[in-house]
Amino acid sequence: MEIWINPACSKCRSAVQLLDAEGAEYTVRRYLEDVPSPDEIRAVLDRLGLEPWDITRAQEADAKELGLKEWPREAGSRERWISALADHPRLIQRPIITADDGTAVVGRTDEAVRDALGR
């Protein structure tokens, strides 16, 4: 199991605390320092069953600068969104937990983290 975190994020800290309390074995990826490649983002999206705009933090300053609100949310724009996430990792929703069964969850709630633990 791997968890993508920003240590300054309270949701990330809560997820890590819950994983620790449950005795889970996992690795931490500080995705702002160890930025995921477009291929890694595609793989996580596949595991999540989501599109890039579904995991984009649209209220971030970078999103506003890029004008993401106006970007089409359609298959033809998918690669543009993925590139934006790779170029501006602050836009990636967090934490993301990749489970041992090949799936992933956005672990913003205790329930989502427990779901990942049960996989």
Side-chain angles (χ1 to χ4, degrees), residues 40-107:
E40 289 173 308
I41 292 169
R42 279 186 212 93
V44 162
L45 287 168
D46 288 346
R47 292 175 81 164
L48 287 165
L50 297 173
E51 293 296 337
W53 45 85
D54 297 326
I55 66 162
T56 299
R57 297 173 52 84
Q59 299 306 314
E60 289 288 326
D62 288 349
K64 291 175 182 175
E65 284 179 29
L66 292 169
L68 289 183
K69 254 186 166 175
E70 309 307 318
W71 289 17
R73 295 175 180 223
E74 59 191 22
S77 298
R78 190 171 199 263
E79 288 305 311
R80 181 181 184 196
W81 283 85
I82 290 170
S83 292
L85 293 174
D87 292 342
H88 305 276
R90 283 196 187 284
L91 297 176
I92 300 172
Q93 190 60 262
R94 59 190 183 247
I96 293 177
I97 302 169
T98 55
D100 292 336
D101 71 350
T103 61
V105 298
V106 178

Side-chain angles (χ1 to χ4, degrees), residues 1 3-5 9-22 24 26 28 94-97 105-110 112-114 117:
M1 183 180 301
I3 182 170
W4 292 7
I5 68 161
C9 167
S10 63
K11 300 283 186 188
C12 294
R13 291 191 307 270
S14 293
V16 167
Q17 287 173 348
L18 182 55
L19 291 175
D20 289 344
E22 296 292 329
Y26 63 95
V28 170
R94 59 190 183 247
I96 293 177
I97 302 169
V105 298
V106 178
R108 295 193 55 79
T109 64
D110 286 353
V113 175
R114 284 191 180 94
L117 284 168

